[in-house]
Amino acid sequence: MPDLDPDEFRRLGHQLVDWVAEHRASLASLPVRPEVTPGAIRAQLPASLPDKPADDVGAALTALLDDVVVPGSLHWQHPGFFGYFPANASLLSLLGDLASGGLGGQGMLWSTAPAGTEVEQVLMDAFAEALGLGPEFTFDGGGGGSLQDSASSGALVALLAALHRSSPDWRESGVDGRERVYVTAETHSSLAKAVRVAGLGAQALRIVPFAPGTFAMSPEALAGMLADDVAAGLRPVLVCPTVGTTGTGAVDPVRAVALAAREHGMWVHVDAAWAGVAALCPEFRYVLDGVELVDSFCTDAHKWLCTAFDASFLWVRDGRALPDALSITPEYLRNAATESGAVVDYRDWQVPLGRRFRALKLWAVVQGTGLDGLREHIRGHVALASELAERVRAAPRFALAVEPSLALVCLYVLGPDGEPDDEATRATLERVNAGGRSFLTHTSIEGRYAIRVAIGSLTTTASDVDTLWRSLTSP
């Protein structure tokens, strides 16, 4: 197959870079949410692929982007995007992605990607130090980290390592139906999916009640459930405290949860996908309280840390735990470096065999911002959320659903009786989203419909929060 020659690639690459730069520069002028109906985008595309190449590949690609993709996309990089959690695809990180794609390496083994492996190891150890995780999570300290595609994958491999530790013959004999995994009703659905993918069955997932007056896991309730399950002949395998739940931003008491789990020898995996990176700032390091007692810790670079999807940090205390659970070595993967035991083969730290050079994205970001720039980024969003929360407190038609958590604010619209009004809250969210200047998502809090305002987009400023507030409060 004929490929582009370097000069033609250079020409087309400049054209596409110009398109991306212009798209980002004009993004604020676009509606955040597309006005499309299901099937409308498919209807604009030809049903068959061309037998012959396009006369102008660059023109064909930019035409698709301009005419179909941009009008049909939810714009996650828009300054008025306040839904879900942020997805910070900085232009800095795109430079690293371009370099990774240009190298075209396959990082499954150290021997197939020595630089890819060791750059990632250095980066993971350095971020562990910057976050305050402690030396036990570094390669030098006997642990180590890897860049997963997502926190969902991190949860799955942590569960597989937990199963292996609970039953070392698990790889051969499989599960026996007695395994149990402990979460709360606020825990991300990726844990339920991990349980399903691992073949444990729905009965394996145990929902721990909240501590009174909170949406955080009750350590006392967990301890009681563990004792009861062990007495019933069941096998507690993993508990997942969350730091910054998706629904309300709740922070489970990691230290107390880990202590409750310790006597049963179970794996403690912390899901801090959104909030964990806040620990770069000393004043927010409380989110890591108790992490020194856990087995694995996950937080995403691709949410709030200026790095394009996909890049999720996963650290483990025991650097052998994931390879022991996951390694399968057919003859075609054998090599002298692996046999020496002196290298890390990242294929043993994840479910897929292959992997991209994700570390280049983060390397580009840190070189372009420094850790101080990342701290400023996080602090700015937390400050904007605090200011928004004060507006909600002062507004007679609104109420905070829960206290703000870092850069997440959850609120209700009140009815004439002063109580949260589900229909009014839903109608307000729909009106804001239809206006096109801001985009919000919702959650359910004790059966009440609540609006979530997740502040975190790269270019969001106080002016964008002002625009959101005007949209929320307009009749």
Side-chain angles (χ1 to χ4, degrees):
M1 184 192 80
D3 197 4
L4 300 174
D5 63 46
D7 286 339
E8 183 68 1
F9 173 75
R10 184 177 290 110
R11 184 185 71 79
L12 293 173
H14 280 295
Q15 183 178 341
L16 186 58
V17 167
D18 285 344
W19 185 92
V20 172
E22 179 58 31
H23 171 68
R24 289 296 182 89
S26 61
L27 192 52
S29 66
L30 299 175
V32 190
R33 189 182 69 172
E35 291 299 324
V36 293
T37 56
I41 295 167
R42 292 184 63 182
Q44 297 178 66
L45 301 173
S48 301
L49 298 175
D51 291 319
K52 302 296 183 183
D55 293 333
D56 186 334
V57 175
L61 178 57
T62 54
L64 176 69
L65 292 169
D66 288 334
D67 299 339
V68 180
V69 175
V70 169
S73 291
L74 177 63
H75 295 300
W76 287 70
Q77 306 309 310
H78 196 288
F81 186 95
F82 300 102
Y84 304 107
F85 277 131
N88 289 174
S90 72
L91 296 178
L92 275 170
S93 70
L94 299 189
L95 296 177
D97 243 355
L98 177 61
S100 175
L103 287 166
Q106 172 51 267
M108 55 191 177
L109 302 167
W110 179 92
S111 63
T112 66
T117 300
E118 296 192 18
V119 168
E120 185 165 333
Q121 287 182 269
V122 168
L123 190 77
M124 295 301 296
D125 278 2
F127 263 104
E129 178 183 7
L131 289 166
L133 283 181
E136 62 270 23
F137 288 99
T138 67
F139 287 99
D140 288 342
S146 65
L147 286 169
Q148 303 283 321
D149 60 9
S150 63
S152 299
S153 291
L156 176 58
V157 296
L159 176 56
L160 298 177
L163 287 168
H164 188 70
R165 188 168 77 181
S166 174
S167 178
D169 64 349
W170 157 81
R171 290 184 13 154
E172 289 72 37
S173 61
V175 299
D176 61 17
R178 295 184 298 123
E179 301 84 0
R180 294 296 181 268
V181 173
Y182 301 82
V183 300
T184 75
E186 282 278 299
T187 303
H188 194 271
S189 60
S190 59
L191 269 296
K193 181 174 283 189
V195 166
R196 184 180 299 178
V197 172
L200 301 187
Q203 80 283 349
L205 197 66
R206 301 278 274 129
I207 307 300
V208 183
F210 299 132
T214 76
F215 295 99
M217 184 181 292
S218 166
E220 294 77 17
L222 172 66
M225 293 173 71
L226 293 174
D228 290 346
D229 285 353
V230 170
L234 302 175
R235 189 166 68 247
V237 170
L238 178 145
V239 59
C240 180
T242 303
V243 173
T245 61
T246 301
T248 64
V251 176
D252 291 333
V254 173
R255 182 178 301 280
V257 168
L259 290 173
R262 173 176 287 178
E263 68 176 281
H264 301 285
M266 59 194 300
W267 188 283
V268 182
H269 173 69
V270 174
D271 177 6
W274 161 62
V277 297
L280 284 177
C281 305
E283 67 271 30
F284 302 137
R285 197 153 287 176
Y286 65 84
V287 300
L288 297 185
D289 181 55
V291 166
E292 71 275 9
L293 303 176
V294 311
D295 297 285
S296 55
F297 176 85
C298 177
T299 188
D300 289 341
H302 60 236
K303 282 190 171 70
W304 205 6
L305 211 62
C306 304
T307 304
F309 189 85
D310 55 8
S312 181
F313 296 112
L314 174 68
W315 285 277
V316 290
R317 172 189 298 276
D318 177 2
R320 286 299 316 166
L322 296 178
D324 286 349
L326 299 173
S327 182
I328 298 175
T329 308
E331 186 60 35
Y332 52 79
L333 293 180
R334 295 190 181 278
N335 62 88
T338 296
E339 299 296 333
S340 75
V343 302
V344 167
D345 288 332
Y346 270 129
R347 55 109 185 192
D348 294 332
W349 292 60
Q350 60 181 34
V351 172
L353 173 62
R355 66 198 321 268
R356 298 184 298 114
F357 197 168
R358 296 187 182 99
L360 283 178
K361 291 188 287 191
L362 273 159
W363 194 271
V365 168
V366 175
Q367 297 307 306
T369 65
L371 293 177
D372 282 346
L374 295 175
R375 294 181 183 113
E376 181 181 354
H377 172 72
I378 291 166
R379 286 170 175 146
H381 292 145
V382 175
L384 289 175
S386 178
E387 293 164 8
L388 176 62
E390 288 305 312
R391 292 183 176 187
V392 174
R393 289 189 180 98
R397 290 180 48 233
F398 293 87
L400 292 174
V402 292
E403 284 301 304
S405 178
L406 296 171
L408 177 65
V409 179
C410 298
L411 58 94
Y412 299 126
V413 178
L414 304 179
D417 59 358
E419 293 296 315
D421 186 322
D422 285 358
E423 291 308 312
T425 304
R426 181 181 289 105
T428 298
L429 179 145
E430 291 173 353
R431 186 185 72 249
V432 169
N433 287 351
R437 304 311 308 151
S438 305
F439 176 77
L440 300 167
T441 53
H442 76 281
T443 190
S444 178
I445 301 177
E446 295 185 316
R448 296 283 195 180
Y449 190 98
I451 292 171
R452 295 172 69 262
V453 183
I455 299 176
S457 289
L458 278 162
T459 56
T460 296
T461 66
S463 175
D464 300 300
V465 178
D466 289 345
T467 297
L468 169 64
W469 184 245
R470 286 194 296 271
S471 298
L472 284 167
T473 55
S474 64

